[in-house]
Amino acid sequence: MEYSFELALCATLERETDWILARQLGAAVADPGQRVIDVVGVVPGPEFDARAEITAETIPAAAIEADVGVGRARRPETAFDCHPQRRESAVEAALDCGFFERERVDGHDAVRQTTRYPDDWVGELVGIENKPDLDRPGELARQLRIDASLALFDRVVLATASHVTRAHCNRLPDPVGVWEFDPETGERTVVRDPEQLPVDEPGIEPLGDASDHTEVAVVERREKRRRRRRVAERAYGKGWRPAQYPACAHCVPDDDGLPYCTAFERVVAPNEDCGEHCPRRDPADPPDLDPHRLRADRTPWVAEPSGTTRRQAGLDRFW
Ligand code: SF4
């Protein structure tokens, strides 16, 4: 239920806003594995178009953070402060997506940025936790406590299909907003607006509950800025629709690209529900749907940007 709820909410937000939406992203800093948020909305900032022009994919964090600029080519060995394997994969990915270009300097491979990284492309980050049924809250309290205390997102919202009572609201951290959402009709009701969180201040990340106290880590501004940029980059490259649709005659995606199954009469999770283990599977070509085209038509994300790579000097002679 949570999967179809989540996809339906993303489809509604895509229609109602100009946000870049993605699902299931890491949202902690000191202990990155402890918090995965259901939906992230990136609100475009003033330099959004400059970011979109570079690549449709995620620009690797290590490439953005390396001491490589536009003006002078640098050898990766001196410009990156990370494990050589991570450095190599970041350089390759940055070259592939057109954020870096390669040069030879003094007989060595060197790289430079094809353009300045536009730091101001993110206006706000909105974090949304889905809990369709509030009678089964699971880890909700702990998750929202982390979000409110760490303040990685500008705003945090709980989205639910349940009727929200005053008692429910009282159990949530004050800054967390609440939406009631009907995944069948796409109707979204704002029960409580989220408050702006102090994203530019150091955050406190709860790490776990011992019997008599909660361990915490202080997350400095710089670390938070880096994580916010990583989340935004990941969201930009990832999106929210399934990466692959099942090769089954029963999969008939709806107008929003949700993978609807006619055999089970519901939206299915291709990675979990579909495959040879499914008793109703009817092998066929995957549905004729281009999720990238849908995304490009409905959001400011650019599927095929012109790119910022300059023509290589050596090739110019032949033009
Ligand atoms: S594999 Fe099963 S769940 Fe998936 S679309 Fe086909 S019938 Fe539906």
Side-chain angles (χ1 to χ4, degrees), residues 246-252 260-264 266 268 270 273-275 278-282:
C248 171
H250 292 299
C251 181
V252 181
Y260 186 81
C261 169
T262 54
F264 291 106
R266 63 178 174 85
V268 288
D273 299 322
C274 305
C278 173
R280 303 291 302 275
R281 178 169 174 261
D282 181 3

Side-chain angles (χ1 to χ4, degrees), residues 253-273:
D254 70 4
D255 291 345
D256 293 315
L258 270 60
Y260 186 81
C261 169
T262 54
F264 291 106
E265 298 184 339
R266 63 178 174 85
V267 171
V268 288
N271 284 344
E272 290 164 27
D273 299 322

